[in-house]
Amino acid sequence: MANRIDRRKFLQLSVLSTPLLVSKKSIANGIHLPNIPIVISTWDSGMEVNAAAWKILSTNGRALDAIEAGARQIENTINCCVGLGGNPDRDGIVTLDACIMDEQSNCGAVAGLEQIKHPISVARKVMENTPHVLLVGNGAQQFALENGFSKEPAQLSETAENAYREWLKKSEYKPQINVEKNKGNGPFAPNFFPDGSPNHDTMGLLAMDQKGNLSGGVTTSGMAFKLHGRVGDSAGIGAGLFVDNEVGAATSSGVGEEVIRICGTHLVVEFMRQGLSPEKACKKAVERIVNRDPEKAKTLQVGFLAMNKKGEYGAYAIQKGFVFSVKTKEENQIHESKFIFSA
Ligand code: SD4
């Protein structure tokens, strides 16, 4: 709890409305690149995730290893939105989605994975040890068990347990935007604990290593109380994660169906390819969702987070409340994303 309160204070002290660019130069492959190595991740819980990734990046490690280490950090914690402590589906079962992508466009993903603690590592094994990209459900679990992972029961966090019990009273699937849970917002992966301290949502993280190589990963229990078998954007390459080592990388959090519909992170990277800054690229992707159905967009949240090859980063969300964490040699802080609507 103290940790959460400290983070909230930290958030208040350090939130910046616009990402900062750091001018100090690093050298990668003989080219001067500002701001690397760097890791950025969704939500305030990204601070701990970044710290785990930084141990690898700061010792000249590979971005892909940093991504896996960062995602495993949060999968190790009991919380309501990622890993075996995550929000269950409609039937009370925790099913996990994850994906990972490296600088050579190698990628791997798992969806609807049950009782395996580290979906990000299973996704990496899919990428490295199979000719496939995505394994789902029982097949993903079977693959995990054959590759040295062991089965463990889901262990709902107290928040997830309480939210599920509450939800069962009406059993209506109505995703809510991620604003304060104690202001009457319902079961959708709340961004705040009932005491008001910030929690996080799906973890998406992007890193660039000292060599200037990019990688990314996403891990989540997905939308709370989804239909059993539903898969969101977080397992989808081009939806919840996309990396193009020539251009940049992007990840997303929020209502996965809206992200999938526009191939959200692929779109963000393509906008960066056209020369837009990461923040502007995220904004244009958000606008694509909003313009499709502005009334509906008022009721849901999607946030995009992106980084380009210069180590510049930015985010944009439909709603107020999306935050992201940044770690470089010179900064270690939480930023508030810009947004279209403030609910
Ligand atoms: C999903 N995008 O399953 C995930 C959920 C999420 O913030 O990010 N919540 O659709």
Side-chain angles (χ1 to χ4, degrees):
M1 176 62 65
N3 192 16
R4 280 193 222 131
I5 288 165
D6 287 345
R7 269 198 265 131
R8 181 172 45 178
K9 281 197 191 129
F10 185 66
L11 180 69
Q12 282 159 357
L13 288 172
S14 65
V15 159
L16 299 171
S17 58
T18 311
L20 278 183
L21 290 185
V22 180
S23 58
K24 194 169 174 199
K25 307 275 192 230
S26 301
I27 297 179
N29 292 336
I31 305 161
H32 288 279
L33 288 175
N35 221 18
I36 68 162
I38 175 171
V39 54
I40 62 177
S41 49
T42 52
W43 306 107
D44 56 311
S45 54
M47 293 294 285
E48 281 95 355
V49 166
N50 288 354
W54 188 254
K55 283 191 191 146
I56 291 171
L57 291 174
S58 60
T59 49
N60 216 3
R62 188 178 169 203
L64 183 73
D65 295 327
I67 292 296
E68 185 181 6
R72 285 176 69 95
Q73 187 282 332
I74 195 153
E75 290 171 348
N76 272 329
T77 63
I78 298 288
N79 62 64
C80 70
C81 309
V82 174
L84 291 175
N87 283 305
D89 65 19
R90 186 188 68 170
D91 301 337
I93 303 166
V94 176
T95 63
L96 305 175
D97 298 341
C99 69
I100 194 161
M101 190 163 188
D102 76 6
E103 77 281 0
Q104 293 172 324
S105 301
N106 296 311
C107 45
V110 288
L113 180 63
E114 290 176 37
Q115 297 187 38
I116 301 287
K117 191 171 190 177
H118 289 299
I120 196 73
S121 297
V122 185
R124 182 168 178 176
K125 286 258 190 280
V126 172
M127 172 174 100
E128 291 178 340
N129 296 0
T130 81
H132 308 306
V133 168
L134 172 63
L135 294 182
V136 305
N138 290 343
Q141 191 191 63
Q142 186 188 337
F143 171 80
L145 297 175
E146 284 167 7
N147 279 273
F149 295 84
S150 46
K151 236 175 165 178
E152 34 183 304
Q155 198 191 339
L156 294 197
S157 66
E158 211 184 307
T159 310
E161 177 97 48
N162 292 340
Y164 182 56
R165 275 216 207 93
E166 194 56 35
W167 179 79
L168 279 175
K169 291 182 187 161
K170 287 194 182 159
S171 300
E172 282 172 354
Y173 183 72
K174 273 193 189 163
Q176 303 285 334
I177 45 183
N178 55 295
V179 292
E180 288 101 325
K181 192 180 179 228
N182 55 353
K183 287 193 184 158
N185 285 285
F188 163 50
N191 188 30
F192 287 81
F193 281 100
D195 66 0
S197 41
N199 182 24
H200 67 85
D201 222 341
T202 289
M203 177 49 57
L205 63 161
L206 309 171
M208 183 156 47
D209 59 31
Q210 196 66 38
K211 290 190 174 137
N213 283 328
L214 286 161
S215 289
V218 185
T219 182
T220 188
S221 53
M223 298 289 282
F225 323 135
K226 60 195 177 185
L227 282 181
H228 186 63
R230 176 265 188 192
V231 175
D233 57 329
S234 308
I237 298 298
L241 174 71
F242 197 68
V243 177
D244 182 322
N245 207 45
E246 298 204 337
V247 177
T251 187
S252 61
S253 186
V255 179
E257 283 76 2
E258 301 304 316
V259 178
I260 292 171
R261 238 185 277 291
I262 64 159
C263 296
T265 55
H266 182 262
L267 187 61
V268 171
V269 170
E270 289 308 297
F271 285 140
M272 290 195 287
R273 193 190 307 279
Q274 290 166 16
L276 294 191
S277 69
E279 183 184 296
K280 286 209 172 106
C282 291
K283 180 168 189 237
K284 278 195 79 160
V286 164
E287 284 169 352
R288 185 73 65 92
I289 294 172
V290 172
N291 292 341
R292 200 183 71 82
D293 189 340
E295 277 313 301
K296 184 177 177 198
K298 283 183 192 155
T299 68
L300 49 88
Q301 174 66 307
V302 169
F304 290 108
L305 173 65
M307 180 197 294
N308 67 16
K309 278 294 276 187
K310 293 187 225 157
E312 297 168 338
Y313 55 82
Y316 219 90
I318 300 179
Q319 310 282 343
K320 188 175 193 312
F322 181 47
V323 297
F324 61 99
S325 304
V326 176
K327 174 74 186 133
T328 67
K329 268 181 226 143
E330 308 197 350
E331 78 163 299
N332 185 29
Q333 61 186 338
I334 298 162
H335 293 241
E336 192 172 27
S337 163
K338 290 185 185 163
F339 49 86
I340 309 261
F341 304 119
S342 88

